[in-house]
Amino acid sequence: MIRYPVVLESDTNQTVLVSFPDFPEAHTFGDDEGEALARAADLLEDVLADYIENRREIPPPSRPKRGWRFVTLPVLTEAKVRLYREMRSTGIRKAELARRLGCHMRQVDRLLDLHHASRLDQIESAFAALNKRIVIEIEEAA
């Protein structure tokens, strides 16, 4: 589970400001803490999608400090982020992954598109092409 820390601060106009220590360019707000965290989750997905699109390295979550909250990535988003990281760390480009999967690059683009509802079996095949596998754990909700 990938959880990025967020900092929540009260603003002078009775809103809650959100910032991401790992993504200094990312800021949002909400009328209350719940709305701010919901907007933060949407913003985080957009920021990660931008990093992937622009071939930037995605930083791992930093260690939280007292008072910080978290935004947890949805499972499908996490799988796509981890696939992107694995591709970068092994030097596998999209064209090579497409060749290994026997598909078109457009299909690989969709596997890395955080806003596309890819099927888990397709992502699992992509990891297999990188000699990796997905492991799922179920735990009690906090």
Side-chain angles (χ1 to χ4, degrees):
M1 168 171 45
I2 299 177
R3 298 172 6 142
Y4 278 96
V6 294
V7 178
L8 302 177
E9 299 175 297
S10 295
D11 196 9
T12 57
N13 62 355
Q14 307 305 317
T15 60
V16 178
L17 300 176
V18 181
S19 60
F20 288 87
D22 300 307
F23 303 100
E25 70 277 20
H27 301 278
T28 190
F29 70 96
D31 289 333
D32 56 38
E33 190 173 297
E35 182 182 2
L37 287 170
R39 287 185 176 187
D42 291 341
L43 176 60
L44 178 58
E45 196 157 349
D46 290 342
V47 168
L48 292 170
D50 183 67
Y51 272 54
I52 291 171
E53 184 178 327
N54 290 297
R55 299 184 179 116
R56 294 177 63 187
E57 185 167 338
I58 297 173
S62 60
R63 296 195 73 179
K65 295 183 181 177
R66 171 173 261 137
W68 286 6
R69 302 289 300 273
F70 295 95
V71 172
T72 303
L73 295 181
V75 172
L76 185 58
T77 300
E78 178 176 348
K80 290 179 176 220
V81 166
R82 287 182 184 259
L83 176 61
Y84 173 75
R85 283 182 174 161
E86 190 62 33
M87 289 173 64
R88 284 183 59 92
S89 71
T90 58
I92 303 294
R93 301 181 81 83
K94 291 190 286 186
E96 174 60 18
L97 182 58
R99 185 190 67 73
R100 290 182 184 191
L101 291 171
C103 68
H104 296 283
M105 264 204 14
R106 287 187 314 273
Q107 291 168 288
V108 174
D109 286 336
R110 287 191 292 265
L111 286 177
L112 297 172
D113 180 351
L114 301 186
H115 301 295
H116 183 267
S118 300
R119 294 187 347 231
L120 188 56
D121 64 315
Q122 294 169 328
I123 294 173
E124 190 173 25
S125 294
F127 276 111
L130 300 175
N131 201 29
K132 301 288 181 183
R133 64 188 175 101
I134 296 174
V135 177
I136 296 176
E137 292 183 33
I138 308 298
E139 57 186 29
E140 293 294 322

